[in-house]
Amino acid sequence: MSHSDSPILPPPLILQSEITMKKSKMKYKSNRLTGTAVLRDKFVPKHLNAINLAPVATRWVLCNGSFNADGSPNDMEPVIAKMAENFIPRVPCMCGETPEPIHGSYYYSPSPVHRVPPDFQFALRDNAHYYFNQADLDETTSIQEYSSTFRGALRSENEERMRMYEKYSLLKWPLRRLDARKAVIHIKGICDARPSLQVADIVLLRPIQPLVALMPNRWGTMEAQQYTIEIESRILHIIRGKRDKADRIIISWALNLEERDALKDHSFVREYSIRFFPSSATIDRCLTALNWLENLAVQQDTLGDVLFPVTAPIVKPLTAEQRQVFRGVPTSANYSSQIDISDIGKPLNQLQSSFVRMVRARTQDPNRSDKTRPPMILTGPAGTGKTKTLIYAIADVLGLLHHGQPNQQHQKNTNRVLVCCPSHAASDVLTRRLSGLLKRSEIFRMFDASRPSSTVPGYILPFTCQVPGLDTFTLPPPSVWTGLRAIICTCMDAHLLFRAQITNRAIRAKQQCFRTFLLSESNPLGLSFGQVTVNADPFFTHLFVDEAAQATEPEILCPISCVVDPHLGGRKVEICLIGDPRQLSPRVFASNVSDNLGRSFMERLLRRPVTCMGGGEESLLGPAVQHDSLLDNAGSLDDLIRYYAQVDGQEQLTIFLTENYRGHPSFLMMPSSFFYFDRLRSAKVPDPPNLAFWVDRLRKVEALTSPVADSIETPGTGVTSPMSDMFAQIHRQTTWPMHFRGVKGSDSSIALENFSGTDSWQNIVEAGVTVEIISTLIKNGVE
């Protein structure tokens, strides 16, 4: 059993099953004791599990569809429909025969969503794992094969999540009502479950004791009859318990008067069999993006160079003046040099400046061909300044920096960026950094209505839009969007833009339809408007995806579906991916999706050979490893990391940052050698007095280290020698501010040892040694 698969099993469940456990324990075969089922199969009798398979007389759906964090019906759907209808005034379509769908019936209503019907009994049946045909994504250029592969992978991943959620089931569990709309379930350690429960997940509850109702019998008299029900609820909020308190799951519980009376019984406290079922929102949105991709491919293969790049784009070189990247001097009145939360006042190094120039070159040489250019990629280890470079590039795109001439770009600049991240935390970081450059009215941090506002940092709330008088997120009215310059959200929440038809494709088509109506001689207004021009720039001119290496490819398609427009002759969006495939990868749980869902879009692009327009060499993130050690791979950084970077900023796709701003060279040695081909360098010059201070303190700590043995045996000789002789033969870097301490500890599962319900693991010996080292440093003058 892996660390992340530790079971969720609160103590009360064990106590309640203690009597029947002895009778049923021997009935379970060892092959059932796998994964998270270890404790569940030992302590939960089979006849109690069978209650979830029995047919029910009726089903109560307490929250059908979407909802708000307070349990009230979600008003986002009406807002989405209103935005699609009113973002651009609706007029009769007079465009005639066009390659686009009929404007009035398609773009003025919300985009359709692919819905996956729930199968609540799936995890209770003996289902074999789903196998599907997987295309070689490193070789294929077929959008049909690409889409089919990810459809199968999404299904396999969803089924695995259903199986894992079933391990969180609770039997004979109490429920406490909070108010007229909500109830709470107390479970220890559920916040540490993997996969994590999410807001909007489904909760299925079956009362252990049958309900009783007075019903007429065949003689016409009333008699008490028992019947069973299943209640379908939704998770509204998950709150971690403090110290040894249980975690709380807030669920929707909007019962009507008749339902409340049916559940009441003063003779006992009602208990439930509780099951959890993953929400289909994630897979629905990913499948909707794949539907969009397939429909787009029917008309025109405009995404070929985005998904399967084979050649580099040709970009007009920047002039000598345009190539200058000055130290940040923002033109925005909102910028404060004294409190520079954007980091824009700090200079860029050579590689960081190269990325800004790459983005600038594409911005100043707009692409009006029939295909969207391949994404630009900024990669590098932690601490190399990727986020700072990204903020610099966004500021440059929006015309917020001086370019060496009297700056009037901010007034003329009409660029608008969509910034997405896989997580809310990363999106909040970018919102805060950009707030130092843009006005509050120019930034919109978008949330789905299901997200509780209590989970959003207070400094982010001013950049959101909430329903007046309610604790609910929504979309701003159409009049606000024209003044926005940066829209920030997660990759999944970008689906809201797609649904509301706030996409480059829909807005351009509706603008063109509106212009045709005004210029038509038979328009109902009977007026002549002469020349009516439409802005040739897309609504979103740039898409930036930060932490892109942590997102699955279908996740990335959600924001891409908002910015790609196949219209011939129109300016195409520029796409930038920022991240590091050597760090965290997409989190998946199915074992057969590691080569598709488990590998990010960014990593696949970096490993895909791309031919230089002038006949250059192929480049990869890293060659196929034929050895057990990465150190055996020969090659320079140019061969291993980047695609290519020619002179004058032409034909660039990837910049790999190598200067690290967070570590001493001794700290960078190991990750640089094992993961980055020994190319990392420390950007900071060590301060000799400060370095000597740390080295001296750490050597004092090492002096307190007790040897684990008095002697050591030389391998293969049987000869022992004193420890002092061994240390004398070892070359020690005494000038490094590092201390290695060998500890003979052992990992132990909290869940297995004390049934606390958490899946965490602990090493008490290592924790004690860590406290000892910190205490010693403090005693020696380290503050």
Side-chain angles (χ1 to χ4, degrees):
M1 181 174 64
S2 65
H3 294 187
S4 61
D5 289 334
S6 303
I8 300 298
L9 191 63
L13 179 59
I14 302 170
L15 298 177
Q16 291 162 354
S17 304
E18 192 172 359
I19 298 176
T20 55
M21 178 190 69
K22 297 179 180 179
K23 298 180 181 179
S24 59
K25 183 176 179 181
M26 301 303 298
K27 297 181 181 179
Y28 293 90
K29 297 180 180 180
S30 59
N31 60 359
R32 288 178 56 84
L33 304 180
T34 58
T36 58
V38 172
L39 294 184
R40 178 175 175 80
D41 286 331
K42 284 175 113 19
F43 294 108
V44 180
K46 194 171 184 178
H47 74 275
L48 290 180
N49 262 331
I51 190 175
N52 294 315
L53 286 169
V56 294
T58 184
R59 183 181 187 83
W60 298 353
V61 181
L62 303 186
C63 203
N64 187 14
S66 54
F67 54 90
N68 296 326
D70 62 355
S72 60
N74 187 353
D75 54 2
M76 183 67 87
E77 286 301 314
V79 171
I80 288 176
K82 187 175 181 179
M83 292 293 294
E85 178 78 15
N86 300 326
F87 196 83
I88 292 178
R90 184 169 188 168
V91 295
C93 183
M94 298 183 178
C95 298
E97 295 295 330
T98 67
E100 298 287 347
I102 300 175
H103 299 168
S105 63
Y106 185 83
Y107 291 114
Y108 286 98
S109 59
S111 301
V113 178
H114 187 122
R115 302 286 186 188
V116 177
D119 183 0
F120 296 134
Q121 301 296 314
F122 173 83
L124 298 175
R125 301 191 301 263
D126 292 330
N127 281 280
H129 288 269
Y130 174 70
Y131 292 96
F132 56 97
N133 293 326
Q134 303 186 36
D136 186 350
L137 299 179
D138 291 329
E139 299 292 337
T140 185
T141 57
S142 168
I143 289 183
Q144 283 70 30
E145 291 182 357
Y146 174 93
S147 179
S148 176
T149 298
F150 280 108
R151 286 184 185 278
L154 288 169
R155 173 179 171 179
S156 183
E157 176 69 8
N158 189 50
E159 290 180 353
E160 182 63 23
R161 284 177 176 267
M162 287 190 283
R163 294 187 187 95
M164 299 183 75
Y165 267 47
E166 187 61 33
K167 307 304 180 183
Y168 308 153
S169 298
L170 306 168
L171 301 174
K172 301 183 67 176
W173 207 259
L175 183 75
R176 187 168 69 86
R177 183 180 173 187
L178 290 179
D179 55 37
R181 289 178 173 174
K182 294 178 288 184
V184 61
I185 305 172
H186 290 84
I187 311 175
K188 278 194 173 182
I190 197 65
C191 286
D192 295 317
R194 295 296 180 271
S196 302
L197 293 181
Q198 302 291 331
V199 171
D201 282 342
I202 298 173
V203 185
L204 302 173
L205 305 98
R206 293 193 179 193
I208 297 295
Q209 303 84 0
L211 275 60
V212 179
L214 293 177
M215 299 181 181
N217 56 26
R218 59 182 178 176
W219 296 285
T221 60
M222 304 296 290
E223 67 176 9
Q225 296 185 15
Q226 293 183 343
Y227 66 100
T228 58
I229 65 168
E230 183 169 69
I231 305 172
E232 179 183 339
S233 179
R234 295 268 183 168
I235 295 180
L236 302 177
H237 201 10
I238 303 174
I239 305 174
R240 180 181 292 275
K242 296 182 179 179
R243 297 184 177 89
D244 59 342
K245 301 295 183 181
D247 301 331
R248 291 175 291 164
I249 300 179
I250 312 299
I251 65 173
S252 57
W253 201 248
L255 299 170
N256 58 39
L257 182 60
E258 181 181 352
E259 292 169 340
R260 288 200 299 267
D261 291 340
L263 288 175
K264 283 183 179 179
D265 195 316
H266 299 288
S267 61
F268 59 85
V269 177
R270 187 169 293 282
E271 296 174 326
Y272 298 86
S273 169
I274 303 177
R275 299 173 57 221
F276 298 96
F277 191 86
S279 168
S280 64
T282 298
I283 188 173
D284 287 348
R285 296 180 179 189
C286 290
L287 290 175
T288 300
L290 289 173
N291 288 347
W292 164 84
L293 177 63
E294 292 174 352
N295 294 333
L296 192 69
V298 171
Q299 299 182 48
Q300 184 181 9
D301 189 14
T302 187
L303 274 176
D305 286 349
V306 175
L307 299 178
F308 319 110
V310 292
T311 56
I314 299 178
V315 182
K316 182 180 178 180
L318 296 172
T319 65
E321 186 179 26
Q322 290 172 336
R323 288 181 55 82
Q324 299 182 40
V325 179
F326 294 96
R327 182 170 180 165
V329 186
T331 62
S332 172
N334 196 46
Y335 172 76
S336 172
S337 59
Q338 297 179 351
I339 308 176
D340 184 14
I341 60 176
S342 67
D343 271 354
I344 209 71
K346 300 178 181 179
L348 299 178
N349 61 39
Q350 181 179 356
L351 290 173
Q352 292 170 339
S353 299
S354 296
F355 180 76
V356 175
R357 280 193 291 268
M358 182 199 308
V359 178
R360 182 184 297 174
R362 290 207 190 182
T363 303
Q364 298 195 13
D365 183 21
N367 173 29
R368 301 187 184 278
S369 66
D370 58 342
K371 292 187 178 182
T372 305
R373 287 167 173 161
M376 295 171 280
I377 296 179
L378 176 66
T379 183
T384 53
K386 294 188 296 296
T387 301
K388 183 180 78 170
T389 309
L390 168 61
I391 297 297
Y392 238 105
I394 293 176
D396 192 69
V397 165
L398 298 180
L400 302 179
L401 301 180
H402 290 295
H403 286 189
Q405 63 271 7
N407 187 77
Q408 297 179 349
Q409 298 184 50
H410 186 60
Q411 290 76 13
K412 297 179 180 179
N413 190 292
T414 59
N415 292 331
R416 184 180 291 106
V417 299
L418 176 60
V419 185
C420 295
C421 307
S423 67
H424 284 290
S427 301
D428 292 341
V429 169
L430 292 178
T431 302
R432 179 169 174 79
R433 299 281 286 270
L434 288 174
S435 67
L437 298 175
L438 296 169
K439 300 176 183 177
R440 181 179 299 182
S441 60
E442 295 176 324
I443 303 177
F444 175 43
R445 174 69 171 94
M446 186 173 65
F447 288 100
D448 197 346
S450 62
R451 183 167 181 82
S453 63
S454 58
T455 64
V456 178
Y459 58 83
I460 299 296
L461 290 176
F463 305 100
T464 65
C465 182
Q466 293 179 278
V467 178
L470 296 177
D471 188 19
T472 306
F473 293 110
T474 186
L475 299 177
S479 59
V480 174
W481 289 84
T482 56
L484 295 176
R485 312 209 65 202
I487 292 87
I488 308 165
C489 63
T490 62
C491 295
M492 283 301 178
D493 282 350
H495 173 80
L496 299 176
L497 300 174
F498 181 78
R499 288 270 288 135
Q501 300 288 13
I502 308 177
T503 67
N504 285 348
R505 185 185 188 189
I507 292 174
R508 187 264 312 155
K510 289 192 285 189
Q511 285 178 337
Q512 182 64 37
C513 188
F514 189 74
R515 176 180 181 273
T516 304
F517 166 78
L518 294 180
L519 295 179
S520 173
E521 296 180 356
S522 59
N523 72 75
L525 299 179
L527 300 176
S528 176
F529 291 88
Q531 295 295 325
V532 179
T533 60
V534 176
N535 186 5
D537 292 338
F539 187 77
F540 298 109
T541 58
H542 295 73
L543 168 63
F544 293 92
V545 182
D546 196 15
E547 304 294 353
Q550 300 180 27
T552 65
E553 290 210 35
E555 280 185 73
I556 297 291
L557 286 179
C558 289
I560 288 179
S561 67
C562 299
V563 299
V564 170
D565 181 9
H567 180 63
L568 295 174
R571 176 184 172 185
K572 300 298 187 291
V573 69
E574 299 294 346
I575 302 174
C576 300
L577 305 178
I578 299 92
D580 181 16
R582 299 295 193 193
Q583 298 182 49
L584 294 177
S585 59
R587 184 73 181 270
V588 294
F589 296 93
S591 59
N592 60 336
V593 301
S594 58
D595 291 336
N596 34 72
L597 279 184
R599 187 174 63 169
S600 68
F601 176 48
M602 180 180 189
E603 180 177 355
R604 184 176 67 82
L605 290 186
L606 284 170
R607 292 186 180 277
R608 188 176 183 89
V610 175
T611 304
C612 188
M613 291 296 294
E617 60 190 26
E618 293 182 344
S619 305
L620 303 170
L621 173 66
V625 179
Q626 303 295 331
H627 321 87
D628 294 333
S629 173
L630 288 173
L631 298 178
D632 293 334
N633 290 322
S636 67
L637 178 65
D638 294 342
D639 299 323
L640 298 169
I641 302 297
R642 64 175 175 81
Y643 279 126
Y644 36 76
Q646 292 193 344
V647 296
D648 297 330
Q650 294 188 68
E651 302 181 356
Q652 290 182 317
L653 286 180
T654 301
I655 295 295
F656 181 81
L657 303 179
T658 58
E659 288 191 54
N660 191 286
Y661 291 84
R662 295 182 190 169
H664 185 271
S666 58
F667 289 101
L668 300 178
M669 180 189 67
M670 189 275 290
S672 177
S673 298
F674 280 93
F675 304 110
Y676 300 102
F677 307 98
D678 201 24
R679 308 303 296 185
L680 299 189
R681 298 293 180 264
S682 177
K684 294 186 177 181
V685 179
D687 179 16
N690 186 49
L691 179 62
F693 172 84
W694 276 98
V695 170
D696 178 66
R697 266 58 179 182
L698 286 173
R699 296 296 82 80
K700 291 181 179 180
V701 170
E702 287 182 346
L704 300 176
T705 304
S706 301
V708 295
D710 294 332
S711 61
I712 186 171
E713 179 179 338
T714 303
T717 63
V719 179
T720 60
S721 58
M723 289 288 291
S724 58
D725 294 342
M726 179 191 68
F727 284 123
Q729 300 172 12
I730 298 177
H731 176 67
R732 300 178 63 191
Q733 292 287 355
T734 57
T735 60
W736 285 1
M738 300 178 67
H739 169 58
F740 294 94
R741 176 74 66 92
V743 180
K744 295 183 65 176
S746 61
D747 295 334
S748 58
S749 168
I750 300 177
L752 290 173
E753 292 191 353
N754 55 26
F755 302 107
S756 67
T758 177
D759 70 344
S760 299
W761 289 66
Q762 59 186 4
N763 190 313
I764 300 298
V765 179
E766 287 184 355
V769 172
T770 302
V771 172
E772 174 192 351
I773 292 175
I774 295 175
S775 301
T776 303
L777 288 174
I778 294 175
K779 291 178 181 179
N780 281 273
V782 177
E783 298 181 357

